[in-house]
Amino acid sequence: MRVAITASNTQKFTKNTTFTLAEIASRSIINLLFDSRIQRSEIDGIIVSSSSFEPYLSNIISEMVGLKPKFSTKVENLCNSGTSGILLAYSLIQSEVCNAVLVTGVEKQDSPGNKLNWDITRGIFDMPVHWASLYASNHFRKYGTTIEDLASISFKNHRNANKNPNAIFFDKYFTLSQIMDAEIVVSPLKKFDCCYPCEGASSILLVSEKLAQRFEQPIWIIGISQNNQGASFASVTNSLDSIMSTKLAAKDAFNQADLSPSDIDIAELHDAFSILEIMAYEDIGFANKGDGKKMIRDNLLSTNTRGGLLGCGHPIGATGIDQTTEITVQLQGLAKQRQINNVKTGLVHNMAAAGTSTTIIILRN
Amino acid sequence: MRVAITASNTQKFTKNTTFTLAEIASRSIINLLFDSRIQRSEIDGIIVSSSSFEPYLSNIISEMVGLKPKFSTKVENLCNSGTSGILLAYSLIQSEVCNAVLVTGVEKQDSPGNKLNWDITRGIFDMPVHWASLYASNHFRKYGTTIEDLASISFKNHRNANKNPNAIFFDKYFTLSQIMDAEIVVSPLKKFDCCYPCEGASSILLVSEKLAQRFEQPIWIIGISQNNQGASFASVTNSLDSIMSTKLAAKDAFNQADLSPSDIDIAELHDAFSILEIMAYEDIGFANKGDGKKMIRDNLLSTNTRGGLLGCGHPIGATGIDQTTEITVQLQGLAKQRQINNVKTGLVHNMAAAGTSTTIIILRN
């Protein structure tokens, strides 16, 4: 049985409001339901994705928005929570446990998911930017990737964010030289190479093939896979060149879809740091190892059209949902001022914790 | 496709040890894997059920026990987390996303899941025992249930716990009069009418029909359903008589299994408070409304043979897994000194937050 995404809603990513998690999530759901051709009573599953500590969050949100679903749970998988929720929703529908599952990602700026204290393999270098800087230094040394390449990634994604009213940097314009000249955080990474934790919510509706007939532009999940290599930076890979979970998840998803990377028209790549977009090009298979920089130098693929994590901000549990939302609206032709022409097949790449886990979703209209 | 439970392991429920969540869970998984006819590389899913705040817990545990699964996530649904995880594992296998999913529930005694602060409909009466006492008072007034009936539930479950080495009260014997004469917590509920939060872990392995052939005694999931009515006590039901989520989840599970309550040989009922076992008899359909007390007075069904929450203790995220483990080993004939003869069909009843959500699982050997 095929599973479709038929509706989505993202609320503006912002910072430090007085709204609670449940309020932010509820607003996104209510807006989704307002637009969508489905009754509350038909939604028989809800999955809430969040790194927050709020207990029973999926049931709290259900009550606030007037849902009494058959299935409800919260999932937590750090930055990979959102697409973990989508994979579970896909599975609930495929297995006919549910017919229509709402997946909502929500986070506050002070999310405890910003840092993984458990991973003592990182020593005192325990912020995410520490492992990201190692990836970047390695890529510079081995493959000739440059500070200009990283800045080009950040510049592109910030320019894309200028077309996305939900992005936290929607109305902030940065020139390439501002990005190049920003202060160093951990060498070689500078301020604009790093995403910004923020608050926000994004919701998406997955439905069965039968229910999808009611919608004009269902977007079909034709490949979906996840891979987990552990939790510590030390377990990501045997070298600093590749992120194993991304390679394995992408390979499996392409097999399911019976497609290859050259079939992808548009992609959301997990650019928590600019270097990760370069590595994603390579590990997913858009470029050979070491050639990721060519993708940006030669502008070979439409990526991170919503602005990526760099331009949108990174509300942890919401990011994977908003990435999927972006590909969905692009394939529906509803992306307004940031619409890319003639896109039929899109890919979502969502990761957590230095790349210890990755989810890949391939969508088609 | 059918889904089977083929292995399980529970570690002794205890209190306030110095072990971490991940250590407690890992011990349970390692023991399960030691006994089971499956390789680590064949386990392609892990779901960790916990109310704890530890981020990325499922990946941390995976790394500690040497698993690199395709899918990994933590789920949180308060006291209903364990069976939510089992339902998701069932769905992942049914949908052929995974072939073998490990579900591990784990909790420390000071779990934040012990109280739902969000539910302000309870006013200052914000402990679980407050809503439980309202259920009990109502049952006394309307249906003639007595303090003796509640004490009989607690006595039975504590006696069962005396046969379960994993129960926290395994080596504590309480007489019926000790239970009757214990101090009142919130009238009419006394000390032994209330379960005891504790720490512990329980793990269970779900596999596809094909993998199940490798095992001598697969136990089949023939009905599984959940229902959610919200998060606040005010939304559980229109009266204090029934728990709506239990009625709806049970009805759906019996429909799937094409069975009725009279077909059930053994059941684990969510006795977080003694009155809840009485209400479960009625809401699941073992007895007519108001007649739950007859089930215990006339000893009509084998229930809570592991000791229930009252006798085992209640490590929140682990409880639903250990309930399912108990029915599994009973149907396998491996329950040793507490084995019930001639049991073929069993039922698990797991709830959260005053009964706002319930999961029902029906198993057969």
Side-chain angles (χ1 to χ4, degrees), chain A residues 44-269:
Chain A
D44 52 8
I46 181 166
I47 293 174
V48 173
S49 150
S50 183
S51 287
S52 77
F53 288 164
E54 182 80 34
Y56 216 38
L57 187 58
S58 61
N59 279 57
I60 289 172
I61 292 170
S62 298
E63 181 166 322
M64 287 176 68
V65 300
L67 292 174
K68 295 191 173 186
K70 182 174 172 182
F71 184 75
S72 166
T73 202
K74 186 180 93 168
V75 297
E76 188 280 316
N77 218 11
L78 287 183
C79 310
N80 200 22
S81 300
T83 51
S84 293
I86 292 173
L87 199 156
L88 287 173
Y90 169 86
S91 184
L92 286 166
I93 294 170
Q94 271 272 357
S95 60
E96 301 185 36
V97 171
C98 294
N99 296 307
V101 182
L102 192 64
V103 189
T104 295
V106 61
E107 212 72 54
K108 291 287 286 185
Q109 180 152 9
D110 58 355
S111 168
N114 294 336
K115 193 171 135 184
L116 183 60
N117 292 311
W118 178 85
D119 184 4
I120 57 169
T121 68
R122 303 181 192 174
I124 59 167
F125 306 106
D126 59 354
M127 298 300 292
V129 68
H130 289 117
W131 51 255
S133 71
L134 292 175
Y135 284 140
S137 302
N138 178 69
H139 226 272
F140 283 19
R141 191 170 58 241
K142 271 199 190 152
Y143 302 118
T145 301
T146 63
I147 295 216
E148 289 78 4
D149 292 325
L150 298 191
S152 302
I153 297 278
S154 185
F155 180 68
K156 166 181 71 72
N157 294 352
H158 276 95
R159 289 304 301 271
N160 287 344
N162 294 146
K163 297 182 189 169
N164 179 5
N166 290 329
I168 199 164
F169 293 121
F170 170 58
D171 52 8
K172 292 277 196 309
Y173 181 83
F174 304 104
T175 64
L176 185 60
S177 43
Q178 276 177 306
I179 290 172
M180 288 281 296
D181 298 341
E183 66 264 34
I184 288 176
V185 181
V186 174
S187 177
L189 299 179
K190 301 179 176 181
K191 180 178 170 187
F192 294 104
D193 291 310
C194 310
C195 69
Y196 183 74
C198 68
E199 68 177 60
S202 185
S203 300
I204 205 162
L205 181 68
L206 280 75
V207 303
S208 66
E209 190 159 5
K210 189 176 169 199
L211 273 178
Q213 293 168 359
R214 224 186 271 175
F215 295 84
E216 279 165 30
Q217 293 174 299
I219 301 300
W220 302 97
I221 295 175
I222 59 171
I224 184 164
S225 191
Q226 187 180 100
N227 186 271
N228 296 272
Q229 294 291 312
S232 62
F233 179 50
S235 69
V236 173
T237 179
N238 291 325
S239 73
L240 290 166
D241 294 0
S242 283
I243 290 175
M244 184 60 71
S245 64
T246 296
K247 292 177 83 158
L248 294 172
K251 190 177 174 195
D252 189 42
F254 280 121
N255 278 344
Q256 283 174 46
D258 198 17
L259 294 177
S260 67
S262 62
D263 296 311
I264 300 296
D265 302 316
I266 184 169
E268 283 289 311
L269 305 176

Side-chain angles (χ1 to χ4, degrees), chain A residues 56 63 70 226 231-232 356, chain B residues 56 63 70 95 226 231-232 356:
Chain A
Y56 216 38
E63 181 166 322
K70 182 174 172 182
Q226 187 180 100
S232 62
T356 45
Chain B
Y56 215 39
E63 181 165 323
K70 181 174 172 183
S95 59
Q226 187 180 100
S232 63
T356 45

